[in-house]
Amino acid sequence: MRKIPMRTCVMCRKKTDKRELLRIVRTPQGDVVFDPTGKQNGRGAYVCSDDSCLNSVKNVKKVSAALDVTAKAEQLEEVLKKIREYLDEKRV
Ligand SMILES: [Zn+2]
């Protein structure tokens, strides 16, 4: 049996196949961005694609704690926008 890398969603704490999760990363410059490749440098936090978890991406406190950074609300809105665009494309 092949081992599937599992990661925990920082919102609901469910463990999921890493490839099914969305990665938010704190870049070395201190930015908070969506990482569609899952390979960007920096500290990452994973979120699953459940609606309630996606909505929590706008939760400054939760994301800041997960990434150990003070995230800005407008950064998180941008991250969420990118995630939604990415998910829309995947569905096509
Ligand atoms: Zn979740």
Side-chain angles (χ1 to χ4, degrees), residues 37-51:
T37 66
K39 290 181 183 131
Q40 203 165 315
N41 272 338
R43 178 174 170 145
Y46 291 90
V47 180
C48 72
S49 53
D50 284 359
D51 250 352

Side-chain angles (χ1 to χ4, degrees), residues 7-16 21 48 50 53:
R7 293 291 183 274
T8 307
C9 169
V10 293
M11 305 302 174
C12 65
R13 299 272 154 208
K14 250 191 315 212
K15 281 205 171 164
T16 313
L21 291 165
C48 72
D50 284 359
C53 294

